[in-house]
């Protein structure tokens, strides 16, 4: 079984005098499978909601009501750096070696942690950027001003300083502050969706590349946080009254796609929750889903971390009580990433267009694998090998490269044989002439 872990952050003072909780611990690493346990703690951190990001090597935690980000190294389990920014940070997102920050003033700050290069956009939102979501090609930012912007990552990372940074799309259907934002990992323009939750008591499913609202879902209470199924089949929402909702997007009455019986403009009212948080825990302030989408982890303002088995929809199980308000839950993929480099130490950001160095550790062999090694390590027969075999069958008989070489060799050999036969005939003719001249 794969080992799956997740990180939990807390903020605020301790709720009670509990000596069992590590002193000054602000971030906890938990193992979900094969058995639940606390495997590590990081100290001196107080991260508000949407301000925690985790990579394979580092943990980035923006601090509450401050313009600083604490950087921790996972290998050593200690703080590596304290990075200061010109504005207070309200949300963070991470893609590979690029950390993206949303500020109190509505700006986006992009920091390449292996080079130190920093890019800052104009104030794209009127109010603070409270949550963000990222895909390999796009960044989605949401704000207290009720607006959502879609950015092209390649354009944000462009080195030309004269390029103007503007959103690619703006999504403006909400009428109150955005509380949570999740995005699917599909790169197909027709199927990539993101879901936003707002204080207007609604969630909207978007095709964010096209800027189209696919479905509006209404709740009895304000949705606080969301979690999206890994295959984007459903999403889960926690509301202000402590309820937990499971919204199936492609169930018998599909909300999306060609099987949907209603128009996109039709709002759907949701009334029945699949579960409710215990009264002593309070409403869930953050949610996290396991890699296979079967386990939901919820963090609560009174310190409880609860586990929900989605396959059986049984009651929750308390897996931890951290004695402080839970603000973030971030799952780490159990599958190792196939990247050639990994950052050993981060490079602090700088402003300006000066030259910079890429500082990272090479994590793979410099020599490319042989064709035989690639065939051994791949699942089944490699695609390129199959394509070559199919093309070989499609070539006319006698016109392949091997047949041409054999035919050329045969022609050369026949030339030699013919020369030897001609020489033999000439020699035999001279012998006959010499013998007839001397009877």
């Amino acid at each position: 079984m794969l080992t799956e872990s997740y990180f939990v952050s807390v903020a605020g003072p301790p709720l009670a005098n509990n000596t069992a909780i590590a002193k000054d611990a602000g971030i906890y690493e938990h193992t979900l499978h094969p058995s639940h346990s606390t495997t590590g703690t990081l100290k001196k951190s107080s991260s508000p909601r949407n301000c925690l990001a985790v990579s394979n090597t580092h943990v980035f935690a923006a601090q509450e009501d401050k313009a600083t980000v604490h950087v921790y190294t996972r290998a050593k389990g200690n703080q590596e750096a304290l990075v200061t920014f010109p504005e207070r940070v309200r949300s963070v997102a991470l893609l590979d070696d690029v950390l993206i920050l949303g500020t109190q003033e509505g700006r986006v700050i992009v920091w390449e942690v292996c080079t130190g290069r920093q890019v800052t956009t104009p104030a794209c939102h009127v109010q603070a950027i409270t949550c963000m979501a990222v895909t390999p090609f796009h960044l989605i930012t949401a704000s207290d001003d009720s607006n959502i912007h879609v950015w092209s990552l390649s354009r944000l990372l462009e080195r030309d300083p004269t390029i103007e940074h503007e959103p690619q799309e703006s999504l403006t259907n909400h009428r109150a502050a955005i509380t949570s934002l999740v995005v699917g990992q599909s790169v197909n323009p027709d199927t990539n969706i993101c879901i936003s939750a707002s204080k207007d008591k609604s969630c909207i499913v978007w095709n964010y590349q096209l800027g189209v609202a696919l479905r509006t879902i209404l709740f009895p209470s304000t949705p606080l946080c969301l979690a999206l199924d890994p295959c984007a089949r459903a999403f889960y929402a926690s509301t202000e009254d402590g309820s937990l909702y499971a919204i199936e997007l492609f169930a018998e009455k599909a909300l999306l796609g060609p099987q949907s019986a209603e128009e996109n403009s039709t709002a759907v009212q949701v009334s029945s929750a699949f579960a409710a948080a215990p009264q002593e825990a309070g409403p869930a302030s953050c949610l996290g889903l396991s890699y296979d989408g079967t386990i939901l982890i919820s963090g609560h303002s009174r310190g409880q971390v609860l586990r929900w088995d989605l396959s059986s929809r049984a009651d929750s199980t308390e897996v931890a009580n951290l004695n402080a308000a839970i603000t973030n839950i971030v799952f780490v993929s159990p599958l190792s990433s196939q990247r050639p480099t990994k950052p050993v130490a981060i490079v602090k950001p700088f402003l300006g267009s000066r030259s910079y160095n890429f500082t990272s550790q090479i994590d793979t062999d410099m020599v490319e694998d042989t064709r035989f090694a690639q065939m051994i390590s791949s699942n089944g027969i490699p695609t390129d090998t199959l394509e070559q075999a199919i093309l070989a069958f499609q070539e006319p008989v006698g016109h392949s490269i091997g047949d041409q070489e054999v035919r050329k060799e045969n022609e050369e050999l026949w030339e030699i044989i013919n020369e030897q036969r001609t020489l033999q005939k000439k020699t035999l003719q001279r012998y006959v002439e010499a013998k007839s001249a001397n009877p």
Side-chain angles (χ1 to χ4, degrees):
M1 178 181 290
L2 293 173
T3 300
E4 189 170 6
S5 62
Y6 63 94
F7 285 77
V8 178
S9 70
V10 299
L15 299 176
N17 295 325
N18 190 338
T19 57
I21 304 297
K23 187 178 180 181
D24 295 336
I27 301 173
Y28 299 80
E29 182 180 5
H30 295 275
T31 299
L32 181 63
H33 299 298
S35 60
H36 195 281
S37 62
T38 302
T39 54
T41 57
L42 303 174
K43 296 185 177 181
K44 297 181 179 179
S45 177
S46 181
S47 299
R49 291 186 61 222
N50 304 317
C51 285
L52 182 69
V54 182
S55 70
N56 291 334
T57 57
H58 290 85
V59 176
F60 302 89
Q63 299 304 294
E64 191 170 26
D65 296 329
K66 294 181 180 179
T68 59
V69 173
H70 291 184
V71 182
Y72 300 88
T73 173
R74 292 182 59 183
K76 297 180 181 179
N78 59 7
Q79 184 173 324
E80 178 181 318
L82 188 151
V83 183
T84 303
F85 292 91
E87 300 175 12
R88 283 194 299 171
V89 179
R90 291 290 305 275
S91 56
V92 299
L94 182 68
L95 178 66
D96 295 335
D97 298 332
V98 178
L99 184 70
I100 306 164
L101 305 100
T103 71
Q104 178 69 30
E105 304 300 324
R107 304 180 194 274
V108 174
I109 298 176
V110 181
W111 169 29
E112 293 181 350
V113 299
C114 288
T115 65
R117 189 167 74 99
Q118 177 179 320
V119 178
T120 304
T121 69
C124 52
H125 289 278
V126 178
Q127 297 181 23
I129 299 176
T130 53
C131 45
M132 297 188 295
V134 65
T135 73
F137 303 103
H138 294 90
L139 167 69
I140 307 172
T141 60
S143 169
D144 281 338
D145 63 8
S146 78
N147 294 325
I148 301 170
H149 292 328
V150 181
W151 305 77
S152 169
L153 272 179
S154 60
R155 191 169 180 85
L156 284 176
L157 295 173
E158 177 64 51
R159 294 192 60 190
D160 186 356
T162 63
I163 289 182
E164 296 182 1
H165 297 296
E166 296 181 354
Q168 182 176 305
E169 294 284 348
S170 293
L171 316 177
T172 58
N173 288 30
H174 281 296
R175 295 294 177 264
I178 310 298
T179 58
S180 186
L181 187 69
V182 290
V183 64
Q185 295 303 307
S186 171
V187 296
N188 188 324
D190 296 325
T191 59
N192 46 16
I193 63 170
C194 76
I195 304 171
S196 57
S198 171
K199 289 184 178 179
D200 60 11
K201 298 183 180 181
S202 73
C203 286
I204 299 181
V205 183
W206 306 87
N207 184 320
Y208 61 89
Q209 282 202 41
L210 302 179
V212 177
L214 302 177
R215 181 68 65 193
T216 300
I217 302 169
L218 305 178
F219 291 87
S221 181
T222 300
L224 300 178
C225 54
L226 303 174
L228 182 63
D229 179 82
C231 297
R233 299 167 299 184
F235 72 91
Y236 302 88
S238 167
T239 56
E240 203 170 36
D241 61 1
S243 300
L244 288 173
Y245 293 87
I247 310 300
E248 299 284 346
L249 300 177
F250 303 98
E252 184 178 352
K253 294 183 179 180
L255 298 179
L256 304 179
Q259 296 182 354
S260 175
E262 300 172 334
E263 297 292 335
N264 291 349
S265 59
T266 304
V268 177
Q269 180 71 49
V270 177
S271 56
S272 59
F274 82 88
Q279 187 173 1
E280 63 274 12
S285 55
C286 51
L287 298 174
L289 267 176
S290 62
Y291 182 77
D292 58 2
T294 60
I295 302 296
L296 179 70
I297 302 294
S298 60
H300 300 259
S301 57
R302 297 175 188 173
Q304 289 92 338
V305 179
L306 303 181
R307 169 178 172 153
W308 307 82
D309 190 343
L310 298 176
S311 59
S312 62
R313 300 290 176 92
D315 292 337
S316 62
T317 303
E318 182 177 309
V319 294
N321 191 327
L322 304 182
N323 197 34
I326 310 296
T327 53
N328 295 282
I329 295 176
V330 178
F331 269 85
V332 181
S333 174
L335 304 179
S336 59
S337 59
Q338 302 296 324
R339 298 184 57 208
T341 63
K342 67 177 180 180
V344 177
I346 60 101
V347 180
K348 289 189 176 183
F350 61 85
L351 292 173
S353 57
R354 65 179 177 86
S355 60
Y356 58 90
N357 298 323
F358 182 86
T359 305
S360 189
Q361 175 181 316
I362 297 174
D363 209 28
T364 58
D365 295 334
M366 295 295 291
V367 180
E368 295 184 0
D369 288 341
T370 62
R371 185 164 174 261
F372 178 75
Q374 293 176 356
M375 294 177 66
I376 291 296
S377 60
S378 63
N379 295 326
I381 302 176
T383 304
D384 56 345
T385 303
L386 284 174
E387 291 177 352
Q388 292 177 6
I390 293 171
L391 290 174
F393 279 116
Q394 293 177 347
E395 290 181 357
V397 178
H399 293 280
S400 63
I401 297 176
D403 290 342
Q404 292 176 2
E405 293 178 354
V406 171
R407 188 168 57 252
K408 185 177 180 180
E409 291 179 359
N410 289 338
E411 291 175 355
E412 292 175 353
L413 289 173
W414 277 111
E415 288 180 1
I416 296 174
I417 293 172
N418 291 331
E419 290 177 358
Q420 294 294 329
R421 286 178 175 177
T422 302
L423 181 60
Q424 185 181 14
K425 288 181 180 179
K426 290 181 178 181
T427 304
L428 183 59
Q429 184 178 359
R430 289 181 181 178
Y431 173 77
V432 172
E433 291 177 353
K435 188 174 181 181
S436 61
N438 298 307

